[in-house]
Structures are given as structure tokens and as C-alpha cells.
Amino acid sequence: MSTNFEFDGDKYKKASTHQKEWGAKLISELKFNGAEHILDLGCGDGSITADLAKCVPDGSVLGIDASKGMIETALKSHQSSNLQFQLLDINSMDFQTKFDIIISNATLHWVKDHSKLLQNVYNALKPNGIVRFNFAAGGNCSNFFKVIKEVMQTSNFSDYFKTFLWPWYMPELEDYKGLVNQLPFNNIRVWGENADRNFPDAEAMIKWIDQPSIVPLLKCVEEEDKQKFRDTVVSRMIQETKQADGTCFETFRRVNLLAEKGI
């Protein structure tokens, strides 16, 4: 299943502070010899991809994303001789034994079929290659999901969502362990992470709602009602999450995967 969602890369770049924090943590955990060929799945605005390129001056990094807006932002924001960006749906990739490392940060909850994903990743890795994922787990964004489900069911908007398909895949850890173990990876580690956080203020929360969180919902709403739907979600989210000190709290639960392809 393709995401078919178009994102505003420039707005995402300004609203993705916590995604970039998680990405920096992933990079800090990896060991590089400087000549690896790396694939970044769901590169977004390219910030993490560009940081990876700095770690492999004698190698190369390819960032792929299904959103034209993200790729356009990445291309104009980051340039390096060992860095490339490509408009490509993760579900459509078909690389064969090409990469030493395949990494993905805060993206793969947008991919519904992880059996296919993991097989494609395995195929794309060189022998002894490494896969490292961080994406949303069960329990993620509990406030946002509560609010949008309530708003979607109101009389003003319910007709728009009669055939709505939930766009996110956020597994429980044991379920994901079972899925990964169906592939012949070695040294598999799957673990959870509580990354709950307080946005510094309502404005920061709103930026995160606008890009990327509410995008798949707005796609279902007619133009004359988009602003009303968005404003209703924003108002209820602030009411639901605002703390006494002015920050806004949301749950962020993560699945982490580290595994190797055998010789």
C-alpha cells in the first residue's frame, strides 16, 4: 500500500525537532569505517541523510521518500558529492545487495506492509549489512489519536471518513519481533523506547499537528471544510495536552530494530 500523502518539506523541517533528535541518536550508535553505502528510508527534508553523508566521506548515502515536497526540500537544503535524494515510495524499492547500512528514522509507521518491507530490506543489504530502524510503536500519539477519532465522528465531519483507512502501522513489540524473526537476519534486537515529551508551547504542538500528523486526514475532507476540521483538531489537542507550565504533552513510543544480514 502506497502512502499517497504529500507533505510540505519546508514546514516539516521547522516542525520536526524531536524526529531530528531521534535521528542524531541513531547515528551516534552506529560505527562507520567511512566507506559504507547507506540507504535512508523516508529521508524527509534530508537533515539526517546529510548527517549520515558526513560520516562516510569515502562512501555514499541515498535518501528516498514518496513525497515530492520532502525531496524538493532535501535537494535544495543539502548538497554533497556523496549524497543523493530520490523520489521513490519505500513500498516500490527493489535494490539488490547494494547497501552496507539501511536506516530509517521516524518513518516506517507510514508503511503498512512490514513483511514486504523487511524482505526488500534484506534483499537490498550486502552480506554483513546492518539494518537499523526507529519508528512508532503501540501507544504512540495517544492524545492525538483520541482527539482525531472524536472529531472524525462528529456530525460535521463523519461523512468524510466513512471509508477512511487508518494510515499508520504501530505494532506491539512482541508482534514486531515475530515479524522480524520470519527473515533470516542474524543478531536480531527489537526493543521499545518511551520518548514521551512536552512540546515547549502550543505553537510547537500546532506545527507538529500540521506537518505531518493531520495530513492524511485533511486529504479526506472537502476544501470548504478543511480549515474548520484542522482548527477543531488543534483546539481540542491544546485543551487535551496543555500543562500548567504552558507546555503540551504527547506520548511517543518507539520500536527499535537492529539486525545483520549473514554472509
Side-chain angles (χ1 to χ4, degrees), residues 109 135-141 145 166 168-172 255:
H109 41 275
F135 65 99
N140 195 67
C141 297
F145 290 157
W166 198 250
W168 299 287
Y169 168 70
M170 299 183 181
E172 300 299 330
V255 175

Side-chain angles (χ1 to χ4, degrees), residues 26-224:
L26 287 189
I27 293 173
S28 71
E29 295 170 357
L30 295 172
K31 295 180 180 179
F32 303 96
N33 63 32
E36 292 90 348
H37 298 285
I38 302 174
L39 175 63
D40 182 10
L41 300 178
C43 62
D45 64 37
S47 296
I48 302 305
T49 328
D51 288 341
L52 284 165
K54 295 174 184 176
C55 298
V56 290
D58 299 316
S60 66
V61 183
L62 171 64
I64 67 171
D65 205 290
S67 167
K68 183 179 179 182
M70 290 292 202
I71 292 296
E72 287 176 347
T73 297
L75 286 168
K76 71 183 181 183
S77 300
H78 308 286
Q79 295 183 355
S80 174
S81 60
N82 66 337
L83 176 62
Q84 289 184 302
F85 296 103
Q86 182 179 350
L87 181 64
L88 178 64
D89 192 320
I90 291 170
N91 295 288
S92 300
M93 71 176 187
D94 188 26
F95 302 108
Q96 300 296 319
T97 56
K98 186 172 182 178
F99 300 101
D100 301 290
I101 299 172
I102 298 179
I103 190 170
S104 187
N105 174 63
T107 294
L108 296 179
H109 41 275
W110 295 96
V111 175
K112 300 295 284 293
D113 187 350
H114 274 236
S115 293
K116 177 182 177 180
L117 168 70
L118 290 165
Q119 182 64 66
N120 286 343
V121 165
Y122 186 86
N123 294 342
L125 283 170
K126 296 179 181 179
N128 294 321
I130 294 172
V131 55
R132 178 71 172 93
F133 294 164
N134 174 293
F135 65 99
N140 195 67
C141 297
S142 58
N143 293 308
F144 179 68
F145 290 157
K146 174 178 180 288
V147 165
I148 62 171
K149 287 176 180 178
E150 291 173 352
V151 177
M152 288 164 63
Q153 292 168 7
T154 61
S155 58
N156 287 331
F157 307 113
S158 59
D159 284 350
Y160 291 126
F161 295 99
K162 286 181 177 179
T163 60
F164 179 72
L165 296 176
W166 198 250
W168 299 287
Y169 168 70
M170 299 183 181
E172 300 299 330
L173 282 179
E174 290 306 312
D175 292 337
Y176 204 67
K177 287 178 183 178
L179 203 60
V180 177
N181 277 291
Q182 293 177 14
L183 278 295
F185 288 108
N186 295 333
N187 301 318
I188 297 170
R189 287 186 60 211
V190 177
W191 71 100
E193 180 183 0
N194 183 332
D196 294 353
R197 65 187 55 228
N198 289 75
F199 290 83
D201 49 39
E203 181 180 358
M205 167 69 81
I206 292 168
K207 287 180 180 178
W208 170 78
I209 293 170
D210 283 336
Q211 289 290 331
S213 304
I214 205 173
V215 168
L217 304 167
L218 286 178
K219 184 178 179 181
C220 300
V221 180
E222 294 292 342
E223 192 64 37
E224 63 266 22

